[in-house]
Amino acid sequence: MLKPSDQPSHSVSLRGQTSAISHQPSAIRYRLHATGVVQGVGFRPFVYGLATRLDLKGWVCNTSSGVVIEIEGGADAMNEFRLALTLDAPPLARIDHLAVEPLPLNHFTRFEIRESESQPHAFQPISPDISICPDCLRELFDPKDRRYLYPFINCTNCGPRFTSITDIPYDRPKTTMASFEMCEDCAREYHDPLNRRFHAQPVACAKCGPKVWLVNSKQLSVNSDQSSVSSDQLSAIRNPQSAIEEAQRLVSEGKIIAIKGLGGFHLACDATNENAVTELRRRKGRIDKPFALMMPDVETVERYCFLSSEERALLESRERPIVLLMKREHADHPIAHSVAPHQHTLGVMLPYTPLHYLLLHPSREAFIIHPLVMTSGNFSEEPIATRNDDAITRLAPLADAFLIHDRDIHTRVDDSVVRVITTDSISNPQSLITNSQLLPLRRSRGYAPYPVKLPFNVPPLLAVGGELKNTFCVARDHYAFLSHHIGDMENLETLKSFEDGVTHFQNLFRINPEIIAHDLHPDYFSTRYALRTLRAHSAIRIPVQHHHAHIASCMAENNHKGDRSVIGVAFDGTGLGSDGAIWGGEFLIANYKSFDRAAHLAYIPLPGGDAATRKPARVAFSHLLAANVPLDLDLPPLAALSSTEQNIITKQIANGLNSPLTSSMGRLFDAVASIIGVRQEVNYEGQAAIELEAIVDPDEKGLYEFSVEQDAILPNAVIQSVVNDFRARVPTPIIAARFHNGVATMIRDVCIRLREQHAINQVALSGGVFQNVTLLSKALTLLHGADFEVLTHHLVPPNDGGIALGQAVIASYQ
Ligand SMILES: [Zn+2]
Ligand SMILES: [Zn+2]
Ligand SMILES: [Zn+2]
């Protein structure tokens, strides 16, 4: 029902609709109430157009909780209207619920769009930033269009949203477009309900909107106290087209340029130029972690990568994530080896802003543009730079030039990263692309802050997430608003970005948390933030065990009501257990309320704690000791550790000194990678496991068997077999495959045991280890073969980027 405060304040008259409706006996009237993302996405003009086309009368209006439509006319047309309302809705609209209420006829004489006053306590889901739409793309390259080659062309169906919103209600003065006054032409489009740019808040053109220009780094002094890029900077290239062409020229010469985008700065260089990519690594201080690529179109992508139809659809989707694709050898201009060392995949995305299109599709044949490295504009592990002055100060040592613009970025948002699972036995009714087998690895631009719909209502709450790959979550009603990717909480900039993000989300979605949920780990920054915040609020604090949160996040995104328990398989690197040990190879019997630890990988000591996480050789040493394997120098981890180091590790393990116990599956992957010589030291999280997966021989069917005693899963026989095969010179791709097959089989076998004990047939797979699609698809095939119903991630990442959602649902149940 409309509350009095929801009543329209005034109405806009449209095209003098005066023809009186012929009220046949079959005429009916409805009030329809649509909730979801229905504001700021062209929904009212769409309704207007549809009603006019069907000769229906009435009105449409935004309210505090969605859109209300009162409409009347013949029964057939009314049915068609209701059907088209959900089927043909504009691309960015997402109707979560449509309530229909029949009413007596009102004898409207026309259809109109009514405007409502802003609602102080209203909250609306906000659209993520969306890649340029086909209509705008066509106009961008149409010499007759008035926005020909304009780098900030957008409309109701595309362009910046979340990154530009400073407050709600979503209206131009509350976006980073506030300082740009619309020219007459833009204003006319903005106010015309039949125009594609009706109420498109970022609407602009070359006459009135943001501008792009290029600054050479040599002309900047990093230590100067300049606080902004002023227009009097002499040698800047001000002409937009010349600026873009100069950027193209610099890239083709092997230079590195910083490009201001939608959610932050990218550093770009020619991905086929080994020297340029190596230089970028040197400047960024990034040793091996792969760089993402941007390619002009799918045809180019297919020259460098294998592409399934699902992967192609994801690349071209309006979310435009980075998709991890299997590498293909390419003779002419191979991608530089240093783009993704020791990987069998490349992370690729298509252009998603008009500026990207102009860069990658030169209007003149002056330069051949190769695929570009497009990596976030920052030093390693710092948040992406967003402000011009900040970016120029921080990035000047990294970039040779800046392609910059004057539309501010309010919220920094990194590119999203996804993978496609290649099994044929999964159905994902809730997936972002219907029936695709999407696995999100980083959920950020294009997806955040679109909410995850919960199967039940929750009180207003905040869940602060974990330590690595942090995201947080605010929730109310049946919505969980999971934040964009914040990052690893290890420097002041990231912590600040976390705190600003939490404040912004609470404000945008009008959430004053009654509950604050956090990880059990007392030293996580997010935990300390939760405790600090609590002193200022009267909220209830709820600590949540890390792996319980992983499983709950998987249940929640699959719309699990929590009425019965699942067998939760939570495999990751590190998470504090309720017994004080470091967990990570866990089988939980779990629901939202509680969990039992039903089985886990046997504990081993982790000599040196964090030091062992950075040095797989140390973990291998510990696993070899536990498996009673003679420590001979022919084994790579032994060769990688000095004798002094070996002595220290031996003592640490014997005395339990700085050697926390761990059941981590991630560390078991590290140990195996180390034993067969894949990697002894890592310089980014998960590196050893990723490189182990990269060499798996897909045709190998053999496996190493785990033994299970009570609730302990013993890897000793696996370690012994790995060593024996390695010493027998079995090729490492075969060993890697047998190990993956062994882990997948163990998952199935333990699940079968637990099904017998607990009469549960539903399995949830979560935790960072399940980013490994080789393991995930093998496990899925085996579990489906044993008739399990399996829940996997397709909305939020299986890694720690998803646990805030789990914390939120668990806390709401306490
Ligand atoms: Zn558009
Ligand atoms: Zn204009
Ligand atoms: Zn985890």
Side-chain angles (χ1 to χ4, degrees):
M1 288 292 289
L2 279 175
K3 294 186 289 289
S5 63
D6 290 328
Q7 290 299 344
S9 58
H10 61 278
S11 62
V12 196
S13 208
L14 296 165
R15 299 212 163 173
Q17 296 285 321
T18 48
S19 69
I21 187 167
S22 55
H23 292 293
Q24 320 94 320
S26 64
I28 46 175
R29 173 174 164 229
Y30 286 139
R31 175 178 289 167
L32 301 153
H33 189 178
T35 54
V37 181
V38 287
Q39 292 188 13
V41 292
F43 193 71
R44 286 175 306 156
F46 154 73
V47 171
Y48 175 81
L50 184 62
T52 317
R53 183 164 63 73
L54 295 169
D55 197 27
L56 298 170
K57 316 295 177 192
W59 51 263
V60 55
C61 174
N62 281 346
T63 74
S64 61
S65 54
V67 165
V68 170
I69 305 162
E70 276 208 16
I71 191 157
E72 65 185 23
D76 288 351
M78 290 285 278
N79 278 340
E80 201 181 328
F81 178 84
R82 275 178 62 182
L83 213 62
L85 200 60
T86 41
L87 290 180
D88 303 337
L92 302 194
R94 296 200 191 208
I95 301 177
D96 286 337
H97 185 69
L98 184 68
V100 183
E101 185 192 350
L103 293 171
L105 288 180
N106 194 324
H107 307 294
F108 294 116
T109 54
R110 58 181 186 178
F111 196 88
E112 64 187 352
I113 294 179
R114 293 183 177 176
E115 289 197 349
S116 52
E117 280 176 349
S118 74
Q119 313 286 323
H121 301 293
F123 94 100
Q124 281 284 326
I126 288 168
S127 169
D129 302 273
I130 294 298
S131 65
I132 181 170
C133 74
D135 290 329
C136 287
L137 190 57
R138 201 176 42 249
E139 290 170 356
L140 180 66
F141 289 106
D142 175 3
K144 289 192 287 297
D145 193 272
R146 74 181 189 91
R147 291 189 180 83
Y148 178 52
L149 303 183
Y150 178 56
F152 303 96
I153 185 171
N154 67 79
C155 72
T156 319
N157 301 327
C158 72
R161 292 291 184 278
F162 173 55
T163 53
S164 69
I165 294 175
T166 54
D167 199 357
I168 53 165
Y170 176 52
D171 208 356
R172 188 158 171 124
K174 289 175 177 170
T175 70
T176 55
M177 287 299 292
S179 56
F180 297 95
E181 200 183 323
M182 275 183 264
C183 70
E184 246 173 63
D185 287 336
C186 286
R188 193 171 23 77
E189 294 168 331
Y190 180 88
H191 292 293
D192 176 3
L194 292 180
N195 193 286
R196 207 173 84 240
R197 296 193 165 89
F198 177 66
H199 282 198
Q201 306 305 346
V203 72
C205 72
K207 205 159 38 164
C208 66
K211 309 245 181 306
V212 66
W213 69 95
L214 186 119
V215 197
N216 200 306
S217 288
K218 290 201 191 72
Q219 295 145 3
L220 301 163
S221 160
V222 185
N223 299 321
S224 80
D225 58 356
Q226 81 184 72
S227 59
S228 68
V229 184
S230 59
S231 54
D232 56 24
Q233 259 169 13
L234 289 169
S235 30
I237 300 180
R238 290 269 148 196
N239 176 294
Q241 216 163 323
S242 313
I244 292 168
E245 278 177 11
E246 176 64 5
Q248 289 164 336
R249 192 186 66 79
L250 289 170
V251 166
S252 68
E253 277 182 359
K255 297 286 195 294
I256 296 163
I257 55 168
I259 301 171
K260 188 174 182 182
L262 206 52
F265 275 77
H266 280 117
L267 289 168
C269 72
D270 180 351
T272 66
N273 183 332
E274 193 68 64
N275 288 338
V277 181
T278 311
E279 176 62 13
L280 178 56
R281 285 206 177 275
R282 192 191 63 75
R283 291 189 197 171
K284 260 194 111 172
R286 180 146 144 173
I287 305 168
D288 287 320
K289 197 173 178 185
F291 284 140
L293 302 177
M294 185 175 276
M295 300 194 189
D297 44 45
V298 277
E299 290 69 36
T300 312
V301 178
E302 273 189 308
R303 258 182 267 145
Y304 293 98
C305 304
F306 295 96
L307 200 57
S308 70
S309 54
E310 289 86 2
E311 288 163 340
R312 186 191 170 111
L314 271 167
L315 277 176
E316 293 184 311
S317 68
R318 55 177 169 266
E319 290 85 2
R320 293 285 155 98
I322 295 167
V323 185
L324 294 196
L325 301 168
M326 199 76 86
K327 256 191 234 182
R328 194 200 282 270
E329 288 315 315
H330 185 270
D332 291 350
H333 289 281
I335 299 295
H337 169 78
S338 53
V339 164
H342 315 295
Q343 307 265 327
H344 64 319
T345 56
L346 290 174
V348 184
M349 62 184 149
L350 294 182
Y352 56 87
T353 68
L355 185 56
H356 294 153
Y357 272 97
L358 294 173
L359 258 178
L360 280 116
H361 294 266
S363 50
R364 292 194 286 126
E365 297 290 305
F367 314 104
I368 298 161
I369 297 296
H370 297 302
L372 296 181
V373 164
M374 283 288 254
T375 184
S376 58
N378 55 5
F379 288 97
S380 280
E381 314 313 333
E382 273 185 18
I384 197 164
T386 48
R387 286 159 49 100
N388 286 354
D389 52 346
D390 174 45
I392 284 177
T393 314
R394 280 165 57 195
L395 303 182
L398 275 62
D400 298 308
F402 288 80
L403 190 60
I404 215 164
H405 61 73
D406 52 358
R407 186 178 69 201
D408 284 344
I409 297 166
H410 187 71
T411 303
R412 67 164 188 93
V413 177
D414 297 76
D415 295 315
S416 294
V417 185
V418 303
R419 254 181 121 163
V420 170
I421 315 167
T422 47
T423 57
D424 42 23
S425 54
I426 317 161
S427 66
N428 285 331
Q430 283 223 329
S431 64
L432 296 164
I433 287 184
T434 319
N435 295 325
S436 80
Q437 299 145 353
L438 173 70
L439 179 70
L441 301 183
R442 184 202 285 159
R443 183 185 182 274
S444 211
R445 178 189 46 81
Y447 301 100
Y450 189 72
V452 175
K453 243 184 101 181
L454 300 174
F456 41 79
N457 273 0
V458 298
L461 63 86
L462 163 69
V464 293
E467 182 81 345
L468 297 178
K469 299 185 167 71
N470 177 279
T471 64
F472 60 85
C473 176
V474 294
R476 61 179 282 180
D477 304 346
H478 57 279
Y479 287 124
F481 299 95
L482 201 65
S483 79
H484 51 296
H485 171 78
I486 301 291
D488 298 349
M489 307 277 247
E490 49 191 24
N491 55 61
L492 272 178
E493 287 77 11
T494 316
L495 308 186
K496 169 110 179 42
S497 156
F498 169 86
E499 295 189 356
D500 292 350
V502 169
T503 310
H504 192 42
F505 265 62
Q506 290 182 353
N507 184 35
L508 284 183
F509 303 113
R510 300 291 191 246
I511 288 171
N512 186 14
E514 290 168 12
I515 298 171
I516 300 183
H518 60 83
D519 196 271
L520 282 187
H521 204 301
D523 296 331
Y524 279 5
F525 172 82
S526 54
T527 306
R528 279 186 261 140
Y529 171 86
L531 297 178
R532 224 173 40 237
T533 312
L534 279 164
R535 275 180 226 124
H537 290 77
S538 52
I540 306 163
R541 175 175 76 95
I542 296 181
V544 177
Q545 199 279 323
H546 188 94
H547 302 91
H548 187 203
H550 270 304
I551 297 306
S553 74
C554 185
M555 293 168 70
E557 73 158 80
N558 282 285
N559 211 28
H560 197 293
K561 293 192 170 47
D563 44 352
R564 55 200 196 286
S565 296
V566 301
I567 300 171
V569 185
F571 286 179
D572 66 0
T574 299
L576 184 61
S578 21
D579 61 355
I582 299 172
W583 293 8
E586 313 303 313
F587 287 83
L588 310 178
I589 303 297
N591 52 38
Y592 294 132
K593 209 167 176 166
S594 62
F595 71 93
D596 279 324
R597 194 186 192 198
H600 62 89
L601 209 56
Y603 283 137
I604 59 145
L606 198 56
D610 282 347
T613 305
R614 288 189 297 273
K615 272 200 172 179
R618 283 175 165 256
V619 189
F621 193 95
S622 187
H623 265 294
L624 289 166
L625 271 185
N628 288 316
V629 174
L631 299 171
D632 294 332
L633 268 177
D634 66 321
L635 293 176
L638 275 298
L641 296 166
S642 70
S643 55
T644 327
E645 227 172 337
Q646 291 186 30
N647 283 336
I648 294 172
I649 296 170
T650 314
K651 278 190 195 126
Q652 280 178 326
I653 292 174
N655 306 329
L657 206 71
N658 190 19
S659 289
L661 292 178
T662 187
S663 57
S664 166
M665 181 56 81
R667 296 293 87 81
L668 181 61
F669 271 78
D670 285 355
V672 172
S674 163
I675 293 169
I676 65 172
V678 168
R679 183 148 291 275
Q680 309 306 334
E681 233 174 288
V682 300
N683 54 66
Y684 63 91
E685 200 212 356
Q687 184 178 10
I690 291 168
E691 293 179 8
L692 186 66
E693 184 197 352
I695 62 164
V696 166
D697 179 338
D699 299 322
E700 171 61 24
K701 299 285 177 266
L703 63 94
Y704 303 134
E705 275 183 57
F706 288 79
S707 51
V708 182
E709 283 174 15
Q710 305 290 344
D711 63 349
I713 300 154
L714 301 168
N716 297 355
V718 173
I719 295 289
Q720 288 154 5
S721 307
V722 169
V723 170
N724 291 342
D725 275 358
F726 181 76
R727 285 186 167 145
R729 298 186 189 284
V730 172
T732 49
I734 304 275
I735 302 179
R738 289 177 182 168
F739 174 65
H740 278 76
N741 294 342
V743 175
T745 306
M746 177 270 283
I747 291 173
R748 180 200 56 194
D749 294 348
V750 174
C751 285
I752 289 176
R753 267 178 66 142
L754 295 176
R755 174 164 66 187
E756 283 162 6
Q757 289 167 14
H758 300 272
I760 298 172
N761 196 44
Q762 208 171 30
V763 176
L765 303 177
S766 189
V769 167
F770 289 107
Q771 295 172 98
N772 180 327
V773 296
T774 306
L775 176 69
L776 179 57
S777 52
K778 283 174 191 285
L780 277 170
T781 306
L782 291 173
L783 287 166
H784 285 142
D787 291 326
F788 280 103
E789 186 196 336
V790 190
L791 309 179
T792 59
H793 287 280
H794 42 270
L795 292 181
V796 304
N799 60 45
D800 288 3
I803 63 170
L805 175 63
Q807 293 173 348
V809 283
I810 291 169
S812 76
Y813 246 73
Q814 303 304 309

